């Protein structure tokens, strides 16, 4: 009886991970079209979800000629390409500038800057892939 309950719980966890992975792939696709949304972080989350729920879907993601190498480099070396790093940092700076312009409030601008500092430092310190 306990084994059956464990299987049901496991199946539920696998289903949640698959659905979450598919959701993040969808967000990544939107990120390709919309400049506000990033693409790579969503694909990394999707790959992590598929690694624990669907090896087939993970293989398909890694086989993608555009995003597969990025995901592979991240999983194996925790590194990103120089171009991706440059784009991410530039996008962050431009987003802060645009937010400051649109918000027209010193306090809100400071809040945006404070919120972006952590991710900016994280990305800036990542090693470059080969």
């Amino acid at each position: 009886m306990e084994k059956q309950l464990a299987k049901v719980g496991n199946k539920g966890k696998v289903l949640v991970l698959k659905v979450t992975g598919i959701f993040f792939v969808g967000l990544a696709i939107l990120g390709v079209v919309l400049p506000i949304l990033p693409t790579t972080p969503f694909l990394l989350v999707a790959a992590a979800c598929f690694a624990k729920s669907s090896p087939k879907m993970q293989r398909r993601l890694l086989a993608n000629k555009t995003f597969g190498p990025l995901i592979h480099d991240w999983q194996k070396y925790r590194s990103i390409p120089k171009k991706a790093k440059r784009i991410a940092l530039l996008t962050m700076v431009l987003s802060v500038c645009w937010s400051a312009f649109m918000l027209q409030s010193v306090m809100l601008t400071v809040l945006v800057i404070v919120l972006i500092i952590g991710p900016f430092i994280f990305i800036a310190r990542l090693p470059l892939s080969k």
Side-chain angles (χ1 to χ4, degrees):
M1 180 81 164
E2 285 181 28
K3 284 186 178 183
Q4 287 177 334
L5 287 176
K7 280 185 180 182
V8 170
N10 237 5
K11 286 182 182 181
K13 182 179 176 183
V14 167
L15 179 63
V16 167
L17 286 170
K18 278 184 186 179
V19 169
T20 303
I22 291 168
F23 173 74
F24 277 102
V25 167
L27 286 177
I29 291 168
L30 281 175
V32 169
V33 180
L34 301 172
I36 295 171
L37 284 176
T39 301
T40 308
F42 292 137
L43 288 174
L44 295 175
V45 172
C49 289
F50 293 149
K52 295 184 180 216
S53 65
S54 175
K56 179 183 174 185
M57 293 175 96
Q58 183 189 29
R59 281 192 303 274
R60 285 187 65 190
L61 206 52
L62 289 170
N64 182 287
K65 62 182 174 184
T66 303
F67 301 114
L70 293 170
I71 296 167
H72 179 267
D73 284 349
W74 176 255
Q75 289 178 338
K76 192 163 184 180
Y77 306 111
R78 293 290 188 254
S79 64
I80 61 173
K82 187 176 186 177
K83 182 179 178 182
K85 186 179 206 175
R86 216 178 306 157
I87 289 171
L89 295 174
L90 180 63
T91 303
M92 288 177 164
V93 170
L94 292 175
S95 296
V96 168
C97 293
W98 180 252
S99 296
F101 174 73
M102 294 300 289
L103 293 171
Q104 297 182 349
S105 165
V106 175
M107 290 304 292
L108 291 176
T109 300
V110 169
L111 178 63
V112 169
I113 292 170
V114 167
L115 290 173
I116 205 77
I117 286 174
F120 187 90
I121 292 171
F122 176 78
I123 291 173
R125 294 184 69 207
L126 284 175
L128 297 176
S129 59
K130 297 171 183 169

